[in-house]
Amino acid sequence: MLPLQLESLSFSAGDTAIIRGISARIEAGPRTIVLGANGAGKSVLMRLCHGLLRPTGGTVRWQGSGCQAMVFQRPVMLRRSALENVVYGLRLAGKSRREALLRAGDVLEAVELSHRTHSPARVLSGGEQQRLALARAWALGPDVLFLDEPTASLDPAATQDIERLIAAIHASGTKIIMTTHNLGQARRLGDEVLFLNKGRLIEHTPIDRFFSHPASSEAATFLKGELP
């Protein structure tokens, strides 16, 4: 599917411009972290790339066809078991019931939820639900996985579990594109940064360079903990 090409991408809600003329080329391989203050447009940009929103200007162009998935800060759990949450997505993707059950069992083991296979998904803890959401996405074998603040509401132990899984999904060959407010997490999980301010792309740069030598005053201010 990659590279992903954004060309003069814009999105407005009524008279409010949220994304303003973003152009970028996102390659396969590097883990891409989308950073910016609240209201910068990070989540909207992710939804535009994933196809959940239609641009009001510009284009989102993928290189070819393939599978992409998205996990949100607060995942929606179906009213069924953990196993059947994963199976449902696989069945929608055209897998047979037998194939879906085998694959679901494998990914639940990978995310350490085998002991919760038959538990109702909606009674799982917040960390377990997020691991299940990752399992549900990972089971599809996506070329690209969008993650929108996947640990924002989790405690440190659950956050560590999710970070470990994200690293494993990346190692399996899936491109990671992720928003986070946690700068330490960005450094641990990212290879490059897209830094947004007021809907504009200010920097697209390797992660180490962004933290050591930000090229814009907006990024420098952001890194100092002040909202630009």
Side-chain angles (χ1 to χ4, degrees):
M1 296 184 70
L2 295 161
L4 168 60
Q5 189 75 43
L6 310 179
E7 297 179 353
S8 301
L9 183 65
S10 300
F11 181 80
S12 296
D15 295 330
T16 303
I18 299 173
I19 297 296
R20 303 167 183 261
I22 289 180
S23 294
R25 181 181 172 93
I26 300 175
E27 302 282 356
R31 295 163 296 179
T32 301
I33 304 294
V34 183
L35 287 177
N38 286 335
K42 303 184 297 299
S43 294
V44 171
L45 178 62
M46 298 274 278
R47 285 161 172 77
L48 287 166
C49 292
H50 188 46
L52 296 178
L53 293 174
R54 185 184 299 274
T56 52
T59 58
V60 174
R61 190 172 75 246
W62 295 93
Q63 182 68 23
S65 60
C67 176
Q68 52 169 308
M70 188 165 181
V71 173
F72 300 92
Q73 179 180 340
R74 294 181 178 83
V76 176
M77 296 287 104
L78 302 176
R79 292 183 180 273
R80 54 191 74 191
S81 69
L83 177 70
E84 292 298 333
N85 262 264
V86 181
V87 166
Y88 181 77
L90 289 165
R91 295 285 283 146
L92 287 179
K95 301 295 184 184
S96 70
R97 175 76 180 172
R98 180 175 180 276
E99 289 176 312
L101 285 169
L102 289 172
R103 177 62 178 157
D106 288 343
V107 294
L108 287 176
E109 182 176 359
V111 303
E112 299 181 359
L113 285 177
S114 292
H115 64 295
R116 296 294 236 161
T117 294
H118 300 295
S119 298
R122 294 188 176 187
V123 306
L124 302 182
S125 69
E128 288 173 333
Q129 287 192 9
Q130 196 63 294
R131 277 188 278 151
L132 179 56
L134 284 171
R136 195 165 54 187
W138 195 6
L140 299 172
D143 299 291
V144 180
L145 178 59
F146 293 98
L147 301 170
D148 192 7
E149 296 282 355
T151 65
S153 58
L154 302 181
D155 64 29
T159 294
Q160 189 175 47
D161 289 340
I162 296 301
E163 289 188 4
R164 176 183 56 80
L165 289 175
I166 292 170
I169 293 169
H170 166 69
S172 74
T174 295
K175 165 76 177 188
I176 300 294
I177 303 176
M178 172 178 167
T179 68
T180 180
H181 280 99
N182 185 323
L183 296 183
Q185 183 174 78
R187 298 184 86 155
R188 290 190 296 273
L189 295 181
D191 297 306
E192 65 175 3
V193 167
L194 294 178
F195 175 68
L196 305 185
N197 183 42
K198 298 180 180 177
R200 299 187 186 279
L201 178 60
I202 305 299
E203 296 194 35
H204 183 184
T205 187
I207 197 93
D208 291 339
R209 186 181 304 165
F210 178 79
F211 280 99
S212 62
H213 297 94
S216 64
S217 60
E218 294 92 343
T221 300
F222 176 78
L223 291 173
K224 289 177 182 176
E226 303 170 21
L227 296 180

